[in-house]
Amino acid sequence: MNNIPFLDLQRLHRSIDDEVQEAIRSTIERGAFVGKNAIAGFEERFGAAHHTGSGAGCGSGTDALTLALKALGISSGDEVIVPAMTFIATAEAVVHAGGTPVVADVDPVTLLLTPETVDAVRTANTRAVLPVHLYGHIVPAVHLRHWREEGLIVIEDAAQAHLGTTEQHPVGSIGHAACFSFYPGKNLGAFGDGGMVISADEAVVEEVQRIRDHGRTSKYTHDVVGYCSRLDGIQAAILDVKLRHLPEWTAARVAVAEHYRSLIGDRLVPWNDGAVHHLLVARFDDRDAVQQHLADAKVATGIHYPVPLSLQPWLATSTPTCPGAETAAQEILSLPMDPLMSLEDVDEVTQRLDRALRPV
Ligand SMILES: Cc1ncc(COP(=O)(O)O)c(C=O)c1O
């Protein structure tokens, strides 16, 4: 029986090796390691891929969230609502920006924030909401618009949602900003860390570009306290190569996800059109046993995420229970999802899953 990996990054990188080597070589030759000129082309093309102006590259997805929160004026005393089912970075960024994260439950089926779950924890101090496009499933446009109309700052956590759309609107075009991660395993991943903020408001992008680079207005003039959180030239060059392939890889992810849906749709966390399938997540009452059976059958799986924010030690005391996220955390299992996976591989995963579920 062959191993079915969760994501085969080596295979993906082999498929573009010549282009990547050439991009690295050319960056080294130009000495374009750090600084605006080294990454401006990629920032522009990444923004254009989301139908907006130039983005602002930075050191990681976590920093993208922190810098966007700061650029949009979040400060001490401001509460920012984050979903209970996400990676810890969504809440960490709020603290780093000086605000207070307030955890809201997610819809028990979609595992995304909704107006109802947000309203349940909203107070007079709520300034912003950080909807997460979890698994590459996009929070519906109607919800994003609703929060804006209610006067909240909306920062989309698009770490898992490059090229995602809702009702044909790209991520980041309804919220005040969207923040991306280029962590290696993401849909668009660097050969290290990286992140990006995009916004329809150029002033937000310019402010992120200023504070990511020591708050400088000229080489040695710094009118605010900034950070050293720059996307470097080699990562930008690699990401630029991968961005050219991203539409085809995203279409492949959609085809893989649709094939899974045709076979085991009733078990999957559902999605709407425009999803980009960073992860393919199923639910099982006896998740741990299923995961073990699949491991024995050489199918690699993951859990995203086993500990919701409402149960994270540093957040738990300030957070009421979140039954939607906490129940899901016991049941979710991420199955192999890879843009170069064949539909036959998907058949194989679901057949091995079928055997795992059959009573002995
Ligand atoms: C939803 C979400 N938000 C934020 C981040 C943080 O991104 P990074 O690891 O690039 O800091 C991640 C990455 O894992 C993520 O999945």
Side-chain angles (χ1 to χ4, degrees):
M1 201 161 31
N2 63 321
N3 280 311
I4 304 185
F6 190 65
L7 166 68
D8 190 344
L9 271 184
Q10 282 85 351
R11 175 174 61 179
L12 192 74
H13 292 149
R14 274 196 300 275
S15 76
I16 54 168
D17 189 52
D18 290 351
E19 289 170 84
V20 168
Q21 296 300 339
E22 173 51 28
I24 294 173
R25 198 195 53 75
S26 150
T27 307
I28 294 171
E29 207 146 274
R30 288 179 289 114
F33 300 118
V34 168
K36 179 132 188 59
N37 292 341
I39 64 168
F42 172 61
E43 289 179 317
E44 262 162 43
R45 285 181 280 279
F46 187 81
H50 295 87
H51 303 187
T52 187
S54 174
C58 57
S60 68
T62 310
D63 284 359
L65 291 164
T66 305
L67 298 176
L69 285 156
K70 298 237 6 153
L72 282 155
I74 296 303
S75 63
S76 162
D78 292 337
E79 293 179 357
V80 179
I81 296 175
V82 299
M85 183 53 77
T86 183
F87 182 59
I88 191 72
T90 313
E92 268 174 339
V94 176
V95 178
H96 293 320
T100 304
V102 173
V103 180
D105 203 1
V106 290
D107 179 273
V109 176
T110 66
L111 309 188
L112 303 175
L113 275 186
T114 69
E116 292 72 30
T117 64
V118 166
D119 283 349
V121 295
R122 198 169 162 182
T123 74
N125 296 325
T126 306
R127 283 266 332 270
V129 59
L130 251 172
V132 176
H133 301 310
L134 188 74
Y135 310 147
H137 301 174
I138 313 306
V139 176
V142 61
H143 296 170
L144 299 171
R145 270 195 218 103
H146 168 82
W147 291 314
R148 271 196 87 138
E149 282 157 14
E150 294 256 298
L152 294 174
I153 295 170
V154 180
I155 301 176
E156 302 172 40
D157 183 337
Q160 305 184 1
H162 318 72
L163 299 191
T165 59
T166 165
E167 293 171 13
Q168 261 106 62
H169 302 288
V171 291
S173 60
I174 300 178
H176 292 82
C179 302
F180 299 85
S181 164
F182 300 131
Y183 185 79
K186 294 291 195 264
N187 288 22
L188 181 62
F191 287 8
D193 280 308
M196 178 82 80
V197 177
I198 62 169
S199 173
D201 182 350
E202 251 176 63
V204 171
V205 172
E206 281 168 14
E207 181 61 4
V208 172
Q209 286 172 341
R210 187 171 70 126
I211 57 180
R212 74 174 176 201
D213 189 19
H214 300 290
R216 57 165 53 102
T217 41
S218 69
K219 193 165 182 194
Y220 291 117
T221 314
H222 312 267
D223 56 356
V224 291
V225 178
Y227 297 77
C228 179
S229 179
R230 301 173 295 223
L231 181 66
D232 71 64
I234 286 188
Q235 298 303 343
I238 294 164
L239 288 164
D240 220 2
V241 168
K242 294 179 93 176
L243 182 62
R244 293 203 288 269
H245 295 271
L246 193 59
E248 120 217 358
W249 290 341
T250 303
R253 284 179 185 272
V254 171
V256 167
E258 290 304 336
H259 195 53
Y260 268 115
R261 184 149 74 173
S262 73
L263 297 166
I264 53 165
D266 53 342
R267 290 204 173 271
L268 300 180
V269 175
W271 61 81
N272 291 322
D273 287 354
V276 291
H277 306 290
H278 174 56
L279 294 167
L280 194 290
V281 180
R283 294 179 76 153
F284 304 96
D285 292 337
D286 49 353
R287 189 267 318 279
D288 292 346
V290 173
Q291 186 174 34
Q292 187 55 54
H293 281 298
L294 285 176
D296 295 343
K298 299 188 171 173
V299 177
T301 59
I303 300 174
H304 302 86
Y305 293 92
V307 184
L309 295 196
S310 50
L311 300 178
Q312 289 292 349
W314 69 266
L315 278 158
T317 48
S318 60
T319 306
T321 57
C322 291
E326 288 166 25
T327 303
Q330 304 295 318
E331 299 177 359
I332 47 183
L333 187 65
S334 308
L335 301 177
M337 165 53 77
D338 182 322
L340 298 191
M341 207 176 161
S342 68
L343 300 187
E344 289 71 35
D345 291 334
V346 177
D347 291 335
E348 192 58 40
V349 172
T350 56
Q351 280 157 20
R352 293 185 203 179
L353 177 62
D354 200 40
R355 287 197 285 276
L357 293 172
R358 231 176 275 152
V360 273

